[in-house]
Amino acid sequence: MKVIEAIDDMRRLRHQLAEPVGFVPTMGYLHEGHLALVRRAREENPSVVVSIFVNPTQFGPHEDITRYPRDTERDLAMLEKERADIVFMPSVAEMYPPQFNSWVEVGKITERLEGASRPGHFRGVTTVVAKLFNIVQPGKAYFGQKDAQQLAVIKKMVAGLNMNLEIVAVPTVRERDGLAMSSRNTYLNPQERQAAVVLYQALTLAQKLWLQGERDAGKMRQAILVLIQSEPLASIDYISIADAETVDELDTVNPPALVSMAVRIGNTRLIDNVVLG
Ligand code: AMP
């Protein structure tokens, strides 16, 4: 496994890799969710590149990027074990030199949910992912269903800009009690960690209502709201039942419907989702 920091070196080595290249972009502090992406990439491609880059342009002015957890040594040991071929770890200066001012923006779908709560977030995501795609030139890139709107936005960018690769969605990996794995879970104290399971309980309730025949999105939203409000440490940012592709809010739950939520547990903002149908 080679660890590369310079874009030029990445490009040079890229040409020596067996085709096609499977690519997994991450912000590091890896867990089983990330590793599921790497394993899938390993199964489907003769070469695997993983990037670790905590991307400053996707953090808002009030989001503390310096607090984002990092452990490069541990990450590299995990990736070595998963037999990644290359780990690309550019510096911020390498990715965003002083004269940088070229942005990739996907319209409409980025205005809602995570985009509404975190203005500029998706512009940062699409810009860095487009740059990484140009540098790594993968045949397939792997993204987690955990970040469902991000996945939809990336698919839209790839289709809209005729990027020559396939986007592969990987199911959400969860802890034993159902909490979706996330680097942000490390911010939770033990009491908050227990409370955080309420997101999964709410998604399970939505799934149960769906299977019982509930098709009224308003009623489903209300049931989720009541359940989350029963947890004193939780405060709701949004609860959404939307078309899985456009992320437009639904009145009637037509499959595939994306039930997604952002909930603050103490000071930690967690997101999770399930697709119905
Ligand atoms: P991040 O490091 O948070 O930017 O995540 C990198 C990639 O891992 C993204 O495509 C995420 O959707 C994916 N990912 C994060 N957590 C999970 C999880 N629990 N299950 C599956 N994929 C995940």
Side-chain angles (χ1 to χ4, degrees):
M1 186 175 85
K2 292 206 168 68
V3 181
I4 294 174
E5 291 175 8
I7 293 169
D8 281 350
D9 293 341
M10 181 65 230
R11 286 194 189 284
R12 238 191 314 278
L13 261 160
R14 165 66 186 87
H15 293 299
Q16 297 165 18
L17 293 176
E19 299 284 350
V21 169
F23 176 47
V24 181
T26 82
M27 299 208 297
Y29 210 73
L30 304 180
H31 51 64
E32 282 295 318
H34 298 110
L35 297 187
L37 273 59
V38 177
R39 286 176 195 143
R40 179 83 178 269
R42 188 69 281 173
E43 278 167 24
E44 296 183 353
N45 304 273
S47 308
V48 172
V49 176
V50 179
S51 65
I52 298 176
F53 181 62
V54 183
N55 175 35
T57 63
Q58 70 189 68
F59 286 78
H62 305 295
E63 299 172 5
D64 190 358
I65 189 173
T66 60
R67 256 191 86 213
Y68 197 83
R70 298 166 202 245
D71 190 340
T72 306
E73 222 170 286
R74 184 168 151 269
D75 288 349
L76 294 178
M78 289 164 100
L79 293 174
E80 178 104 59
K81 228 171 149 187
E82 299 301 331
R83 295 176 296 114
D85 295 296
I86 294 181
V87 181
F88 179 49
M89 298 186 19
S91 66
V92 171
E94 182 80 355
M95 289 296 274
Y96 299 110
Q99 71 278 17
F100 177 86
N101 202 3
S102 305
W103 301 92
V104 177
E105 202 153 359
V106 173
K108 192 156 185 286
I109 182 181
T110 55
E111 290 166 12
R112 301 203 49 252
L113 307 178
E114 287 302 290
S117 297
R118 307 177 66 190
H121 169 68
F122 283 121
R123 186 176 90 140
V125 170
T126 46
T127 299
V128 81
V129 170
K131 282 167 69 73
L132 290 168
F133 285 175
N134 283 334
I135 295 164
V136 176
Q137 295 175 27
K140 289 184 182 179
Y142 296 79
F143 289 84
Q145 183 61 41
K146 155 86 172 27
D147 299 280
Q149 191 182 9
Q150 169 172 283
L151 182 61
V153 169
I154 299 287
K155 282 184 177 166
K156 207 144 188 188
M157 173 184 80
V158 165
L161 297 180
N162 311 99
M163 292 179 171
N164 194 19
L165 80 163
E166 186 188 330
I167 300 301
V168 180
V170 178
T172 302
V173 178
R174 298 178 179 282
E175 303 284 357
R176 287 166 76 100
D177 65 357
L179 176 67
M181 289 196 181
S182 166
S183 310
R184 289 190 161 84
N185 294 350
T186 53
Y187 298 148
L188 302 168
N189 68 31
Q191 201 189 357
E192 290 169 343
R193 170 62 189 81
Q194 275 195 333
V197 75
V198 75
L199 282 88
Y200 181 65
Q201 287 168 346
L203 295 174
T204 308
L205 173 64
Q207 222 154 9
K208 187 177 121 200
L209 292 172
W210 164 257
L211 290 173
Q212 286 171 353
E214 183 61 80
R215 295 296 180 267
D216 184 327
K219 281 191 189 157
M220 205 181 265
R221 261 183 229 107
Q222 183 61 23
I224 294 173
L225 185 90
V226 169
L227 187 123
I228 296 177
Q229 282 177 340
S230 72
E231 171 48 63
L233 294 181
S235 69
I236 296 167
D237 187 346
Y238 64 77
I239 295 168
S240 161
I241 301 174
D243 181 280
E245 199 178 314
T246 63
V247 203
D248 286 336
E249 214 59 27
L250 296 172
D251 294 325
T252 304
V253 189
N254 288 320
L258 175 69
V259 181
S260 67
M261 58 187 64
V263 176
R264 236 170 254 282
I265 305 288
N267 289 324
T268 304
R269 188 173 178 281
L270 301 177
I271 59 170
D272 203 349
N273 70 85
V274 68
V275 176
L276 304 178

